[in-house]
Amino acid sequence: MILVRAPNSAIDQAALICRVIEACRNVVAEHETHLCDLDRAIGDGDHGTNMRRGLEALAAESRQLAAMPVSEAMIAAGTILVMSIGGAAGPLYGTLLMEIGKGLAAEPLPAKFPDVFQQAVAAVARRGKSSPGEKTLLDVLYPFSAAMIRGAPLQHLAEKAQGFADRTIDMKAMRGRASFLGERSVGHMDPGAASCALLCQTVCRELAQAGAA
Ligand code: ADP
Ligand code: MG
């Protein structure tokens, strides 16, 4: 799957990059309050605001990003997210995109994308010194990546993402601010997992609509 496979021309690809960014910006804006509410329950209440700021910054640069080769665009987009989301999530989302960009530069073949994504998720885990099962956005990224490696189609990946975030409700937070709550974090969905599910779902739907596999 992914950007490099869908379009038939550089123009299609640029338009697709703009559409994906716009869709991500919209879904985060729609869910800003919800993401802040989730973060208020187990953190400091700013996750929705942080993510909206990040996606607004990305949208402001979408034309410039769309004019770049996909690998360079991903690295540039990751840098923008690190600087604009801030908090704990900024460097993690930024690492994901930057590592995908580096991976695509080395492995531009679309068939290799699941491996590139898996490596990028591993880099996020190293950056956060965290593992799946610790109630973070990695609890979406890991199973999402595993499903991609198994060859799941985009529509299936989109449908699965929210379920991965739901599973964090029963987990005890081991990383980030929520970890200060210990057992009291159980019973709440992790805000980073929630935003990650929304974004994964949105990207997959946009790519599926554009005719990617
Ligand atoms: P902050 O905690 O600095 O206010 P945000 O509220 O924007 O930042 O993001 C919080 C989210 O970041 C959490 O819900 C969690 O998913 C993710 N997170 C925090 N620390 C880590 C970590 N060490 N590893 C992976 N994810 C983390
Ligand atoms: Mg927060």
Side-chain angles (χ1 to χ4, degrees), residues 4 68-76 97-98 100-106:
V4 282
M68 299 175 186
V70 177
S71 59
E72 284 175 34
M74 295 298 260
I75 293 171
L97 296 200
M98 287 189 277
I100 290 173
K102 287 184 209 164
L104 287 176

Side-chain angles (χ1 to χ4, degrees), residues 12 16 18 21-22 46 58 75 84 137 150 161 164 201 213:
D12 289 346
L16 180 58
C18 288
I21 292 174
E22 185 63 21
D46 64 356
L58 214 52
I75 293 171
S84 56
L137 43 77
R150 289 196 298 272
F164 299 146
Q201 192 180 69

Side-chain angles (χ1 to χ4, degrees), residues 7-19 66-67:
N8 296 322
S9 72
I11 293 168
D12 289 346
Q13 181 163 291
L16 180 58
I17 289 175
C18 288
R19 272 209 304 281

Side-chain angles (χ1 to χ4, degrees), residues 50-124:
N50 294 346
M51 293 303 294
R52 188 164 69 89
R53 199 171 50 240
L55 271 299
E56 294 287 349
L58 214 52
E61 297 293 323
S62 65
R63 281 175 190 277
Q64 289 86 328
L65 292 168
M68 299 175 186
V70 177
S71 59
E72 284 175 34
M74 295 298 260
I75 293 171
T79 309
I80 292 169
L81 291 187
V82 173
M83 292 189 302
S84 56
I85 297 178
L92 300 171
Y93 275 114
T95 296
L96 182 69
L97 296 200
M98 287 189 277
E99 292 296 322
I100 290 173
K102 287 184 209 164
L104 287 176
E107 295 280 9
L109 289 177
K112 297 273 188 191
F113 186 78
D115 297 327
V116 167
F117 190 81
Q118 189 180 42
Q119 294 300 317
V121 171
V124 176

Side-chain angles (χ1 to χ4, degrees), residues 39 42-48 50-51 85-90 92 124-125 127-131 134-138 175-178 190-193:
D39 196 26
I42 60 171
D44 58 357
D46 64 356
H47 187 63
N50 294 346
M51 293 303 294
I85 297 178
L92 300 171
V124 176
R127 186 75 172 77
K129 299 186 175 58
S130 46
S131 319
E134 295 182 335
K135 199 179 180 91
T136 71
L137 43 77
L138 287 172
R175 292 285 175 251
R177 289 177 201 278
D190 176 63

Side-chain angles (χ1 to χ4, degrees), residues 8 23 29 34 45 75 148 157 161 177 185 195 201 213:
N8 296 322
H34 175 60
I75 293 171
M148 208 189 283
L157 289 168
R177 289 177 201 278
S185 66
S195 65
Q201 192 180 69

